[in-house]
Amino acid sequence: MLKSLRLENFKSFKNAELSLGDLTVLVGTNASGKSNIRDAFRFLHGISRGYSIAEIIGEKYGEGGELQWRGIRGGTKEITYCGTDSFAISVTFSIIYNGNELDMNYHIEIKLKSSEPFPRIVFEKLTCSGFEKPIFESRPIINWERIGTHYISVSFFNIWSSANENQGLLNYIPVLWQVATETSFEGINVDDRQIIISRARELRELCDRALIAIGNMRFLDLSPDLMRLPTFAGQNILGDRGENLSSVMLDICRDETRKAILLDWLQALTPMDAKDFDFPEDFTGKVLLRIEEASGQKTTAYSASDGTLRFLGLLAALLGNQRSRFYFFEEPENGIHPNRLSLLLQLMEQEVTNGSMQIVITTHSPLLLNFLSPASLEYASLIYRIGDRAESRITKIIDISNAREIIANDGLSSLLDSGWLEDAMYFLEDEEVQNA
């Protein structure tokens, strides 16, 4: 489970930290920086996929020329705060190792300079509670005439790895990925070769756990137009825009128990008296989602409302057979009737309670905030900017002076609707400046 995200000179954040719970809600005005947090999570996700830094920021194409990864918005020109030449991202998360829950922290710092051909890693570190020293620290040394002076200090394990001129890409592919998948090791001050091998395996396992923690992420931005299209049976992974909805729903409905759960939620979330799903094939063999109501009325995905399709997309993501451990939803309330927002939030909170899933959402809906459980309220954060300053900041809403008492009396939605949250931060900062 991810516990915190720290950003230094990343996009609009100069120095900020986000605390993460099972369900984390981000609120703030347009252009406050909420989508930049999504970009930071995507950057970490790109590391888990073994991409180079240039590919993570830009794009990644497969050997056949197909696009596999869309880069970070703004590219290298807009990824740093106010044009600085470097940025850093740190993430803290928990893992289970040898039957114990441990906290790990992964930190990576990237340098971007016009005088160098690629963005490169200048520092990388992985630490773990219960280990006195870092799992590894990496400080590449670049020589453009002879690329490859790259040293990894794995101090706890007494293992070092050095790249040669044939491994120049080591300067651009995160060490976390390399250690977990392919780096070879040489021992220092360890005479027993079996000890070296054993520690190398333990090192790889810890790095692999870290990759898993930042790797199983999805960033859904559902498009009803794409969700209406028929798909081939067997395409069982929902696309980020909702692609493959019909075949994903077909896969879920093969299990009668899970099908019943889907119908129950669809009946609760929409006015449709849905009693069944079926999936007629077109002349190419693609299947099309169709909803049958108790009256006998059948509605295909082609004519279903945008709100119904968005509900189905969220249901398919949260209840499907190919679920992820981490979801980032931007404004899930879009196209959904306000009377159904409490049920949407109930579904999300229900799915994160067992610890197998974590959700971050951004929202502009004051009404949705009133339905937050006490546990979720503890991890509701305000993303804000003061006046015309470029810097985005993050604070837990309950940490704002008097916020907890006002929420108890008036509800959180009134604070968002009135602009009280941003005003409070403006006046609190003004008081700090006067008292300094």
Side-chain angles (χ1 to χ4, degrees):
M1 175 179 172
L2 304 186
K3 292 189 170 184
S4 68
L5 176 74
R6 185 166 192 82
L7 306 175
E8 300 173 34
N9 291 328
F10 181 81
K11 304 207 91 172
S12 62
F13 295 96
K14 183 177 181 181
N15 193 338
E17 183 168 341
L18 174 67
S19 296
L20 298 163
D22 293 334
L23 175 64
T24 303
V25 179
L26 308 180
V27 301
T29 61
N30 290 331
S32 60
K34 299 187 300 298
S35 294
N36 292 340
I37 292 176
R38 178 182 184 269
D39 287 336
F41 283 120
R42 288 195 69 239
F43 189 92
L44 292 170
H45 187 215
I47 290 174
S48 76
R49 299 177 71 163
Y51 298 158
S52 71
I53 299 303
E55 290 168 338
I56 294 171
I57 299 175
E59 294 178 333
K60 168 68 175 178
Y61 288 86
E63 294 182 0
E66 71 281 4
L67 181 63
Q68 296 181 342
W69 171 267
R70 296 190 182 278
I72 305 300
R73 295 172 307 128
T76 56
K77 295 296 185 183
E78 298 182 49
I79 200 169
T80 60
Y81 176 74
C82 291
T84 56
D85 66 359
S86 66
F87 68 89
I89 297 178
S90 302
V91 60
T92 301
F93 48 91
S94 61
I95 66 167
I96 302 298
Y97 186 70
N98 291 335
N100 299 313
E101 182 174 332
L102 304 176
D103 285 342
M104 302 190 84
N105 178 269
Y106 173 66
H107 176 90
I108 186 168
E109 183 178 345
I110 308 299
K111 179 79 73 174
L112 302 97
K113 295 177 68 174
S114 58
S115 60
E116 297 175 356
F118 305 106
R120 61 183 176 90
I121 304 164
V122 292
F123 182 63
E124 196 175 351
K125 182 178 182 180
L126 180 67
T127 60
C128 185
S129 61
F131 291 80
E132 181 181 351
K133 297 180 181 180
I135 304 306
F136 73 75
E137 289 186 86
S138 171
R139 297 180 183 275
I141 302 170
I142 304 299
N143 182 329
W144 295 119
E145 295 181 355
R146 183 178 179 276
I147 295 176
T149 313
H150 181 111
Y151 297 98
I152 308 168
S153 168
V154 191
S155 54
F156 178 81
F157 296 92
N158 287 325
I159 296 171
W160 289 71
S161 175
S162 61
N164 55 41
E165 60 269 22
N166 297 320
Q167 296 172 299
L169 281 178
L170 284 173
N171 295 309
Y172 315 112
I173 297 177
V175 169
L176 180 64
W177 168 268
Q178 296 177 59
V179 173
T181 59
E182 60 190 30
T183 300
S184 60
F185 299 97
E186 297 176 0
I188 293 183
N189 299 326
V190 178
D191 296 327
D192 191 330
R193 181 64 180 170
Q194 290 304 116
I195 294 177
I196 298 174
I197 294 173
S198 174
R199 290 179 173 175
R201 286 173 178 168
E202 187 174 6
L203 170 64
R204 286 194 179 98
E205 184 176 353
L206 287 166
C207 290
D208 185 61
R209 298 291 180 89
L211 284 180
I212 292 172
I214 63 173
N216 202 344
M217 295 181 175
R218 295 296 307 278
F219 305 87
L220 296 190
D221 182 16
L222 300 174
S223 166
D225 287 341
L226 294 177
M227 297 165 75
R228 290 188 170 94
L229 300 178
T231 54
F232 288 108
Q235 294 177 306
N236 298 333
I237 297 179
L238 189 73
D240 288 344
R241 305 298 307 281
E243 302 94 333
N244 300 330
L245 176 64
S246 292
S247 49
V248 171
M249 293 290 289
L250 172 60
D251 183 54
I252 297 173
C253 289
R254 296 185 194 279
D255 183 323
E256 290 297 327
T257 300
R258 300 188 70 80
K259 178 180 177 181
I261 294 172
L262 277 176
L263 287 168
D264 286 345
W265 275 109
L266 185 60
Q267 290 170 357
L269 294 168
T270 72
M272 302 179 73
D273 188 13
K275 75 168 189 178
D276 201 3
F277 299 107
D278 69 340
F279 302 88
E281 292 187 3
D282 66 11
F283 70 95
T284 67
K286 292 181 178 179
V287 297
L288 178 66
L289 170 65
R290 186 164 62 181
I291 306 166
E292 182 178 351
E293 298 188 55
S295 64
Q297 172 71 26
K298 293 186 176 182
T299 303
T300 68
Y302 284 129
S303 58
S305 70
D306 286 2
T308 296
L309 289 173
R310 288 181 64 84
F311 268 130
L312 288 173
L314 291 170
L315 290 172
L318 299 179
L319 303 176
N321 297 320
Q322 302 289 335
R323 294 186 294 175
S324 292
R325 292 176 57 87
F326 179 97
Y327 283 100
F328 194 107
F329 296 118
E330 291 200 83
E331 302 176 25
E333 70 272 13
N334 284 346
I336 295 175
H337 195 280
N339 289 343
R340 299 298 193 269
L341 290 180
S342 62
L343 294 171
L344 175 62
L345 203 57
Q346 179 185 336
L347 170 63
M348 291 184 177
E349 290 186 334
Q350 174 181 299
E351 291 305 307
V352 301
T353 51
N354 62 6
S356 63
M357 182 184 296
Q358 194 170 8
I359 297 174
V360 177
I361 66 172
T362 68
T363 183
H364 289 290
S365 170
L367 185 58
L368 184 144
L369 298 178
N370 272 353
F371 300 129
L372 286 177
S373 68
S376 297
L377 180 59
E378 295 293 320
Y379 288 95
S381 288
L382 172 69
I383 317 300
Y384 67 98
R385 293 166 62 177
I386 300 295
D388 58 357
R389 298 179 189 175
E391 180 185 357
S392 295
R393 298 185 177 184
I394 305 171
T395 184
K396 279 187 176 182
I397 291 175
I398 60 169
D399 289 343
I400 301 174
S401 180
N402 299 323
R404 196 182 292 271
E405 293 79 5
I406 298 175
I407 291 170
N409 294 326
D410 301 326
L412 180 53
S413 64
S414 64
L415 302 189
L416 180 65
D417 214 13
S418 65
W420 182 91
L421 296 171
E422 286 83 4
D423 289 344
M425 299 313 301
Y426 177 84
F427 287 115
L428 285 172
E429 175 158 310
D430 189 49
E431 288 180 3
E432 291 177 3
V433 171
Q434 292 179 10
N435 295 331

